[in-house]
Amino acid sequence: GENVEQHPSTLSVQEGDSAVIKCTYSDSASNYFPWYKQELGKRPQLIIDIRSNVGEKKDQRIAVTLNKTAKHFSLHITETQPEDSAVYFCAASMYVRGSNYKLTFGKGTLLTVNP
Amino acid sequence: GAGVSQSPSNKVTEKGKDVELRCDPISGHTALYWYRQRLGQGLEFLIYFQGNSAPDKSGLPSDRFSAERTGESVSTLTIQRTQQEDSAVYLCASSFLRGEQFFGPGTRLTVL
């Protein structure tokens, strides 16, 4: 089955700096890669996703890049703010039976943005 | 509209007892998922429902775990003869067939 590795497990940055979180996946058939943000005690929320037919996607201060050949994808957050502090999870899945349902998650990255 | 809801929010039980966890998905979402999140870990896929059918139960850890969905709506995850290693947050999510998975707040299960 799919295996997703995520690094680093913790990341501390100063407000205004950039943060980068990297994930690798094992199954070359995976074609959907979402990123979730989970604040302490809260539910995971999707912040951005990318499908395998594109190499990069941006949404304001957040961007995701995908390298299918190397089987890795990354989350980039620019101009970090204290409210960006949370655990971030990457995930991978493949399109099966009409749905990208079976998400395999990384273990998460605890991002701390210091004011 | 309302998001995904789960009940109870917290459940403390004794080893060997059975527990039922409930998920109410977003109205109209055909797909429903259960995940388990152990402390400090990522989310672990348990089971997926499309309508009332479960095409993939491969993530259920043992035969003590079962789930059902009725009316293409509410789902119940049942854990029989609970063990301490079952302690975790159980998260439910729902989506349209190819859409974003929206998560519920989770049920924190503690097995003493």
Side-chain angles (χ1 to χ4, degrees), chain B residues 85-107:
Chain B
E85 61 263 29
D86 299 335
S87 295
V89 176
Y90 289 82
L91 288 157
C92 172
S94 71
S95 77
F96 292 114
L97 185 59
R98 292 187 64 185
E100 170 188 350
Q101 294 187 22
F102 290 86
F103 283 85
T107 294

Side-chain angles (χ1 to χ4, degrees), chain A residues 32 36 38 43-46 51 89 95 97-108, chain B residues 3-4 33 35 37 40-43 45 48 55-56 58 91 97-98 100-101 103-105:
Chain A
Y32 174 63
Y36 284 83
Q38 186 175 31
R43 67 190 78 188
Q45 292 192 305
L46 180 73
R51 297 189 184 271
F89 293 98
Y95 187 75
R97 297 193 189 97
S99 172
N100 292 110
Y101 71 89
K102 195 165 184 175
L103 293 177
T104 301
F105 283 83
K107 291 192 184 321
Chain B
V4 179
Y33 321 79
Y35 295 88
Q37 186 175 28
Q41 300 295 310
L43 283 73
F45 170 83
Y48 156 69
D56 191 341
S58 63
L91 288 157
L97 185 59
R98 292 187 64 185
E100 170 188 350
Q101 294 187 22
F103 283 85

Side-chain angles (χ1 to χ4, degrees), chain A residues 36-48:
Chain A
Y36 284 83
K37 175 183 180 182
Q38 186 175 31
E39 297 177 12
L40 186 63
K42 301 284 184 64
R43 67 190 78 188
Q45 292 192 305
L46 180 73
I47 55 171
I48 195 167

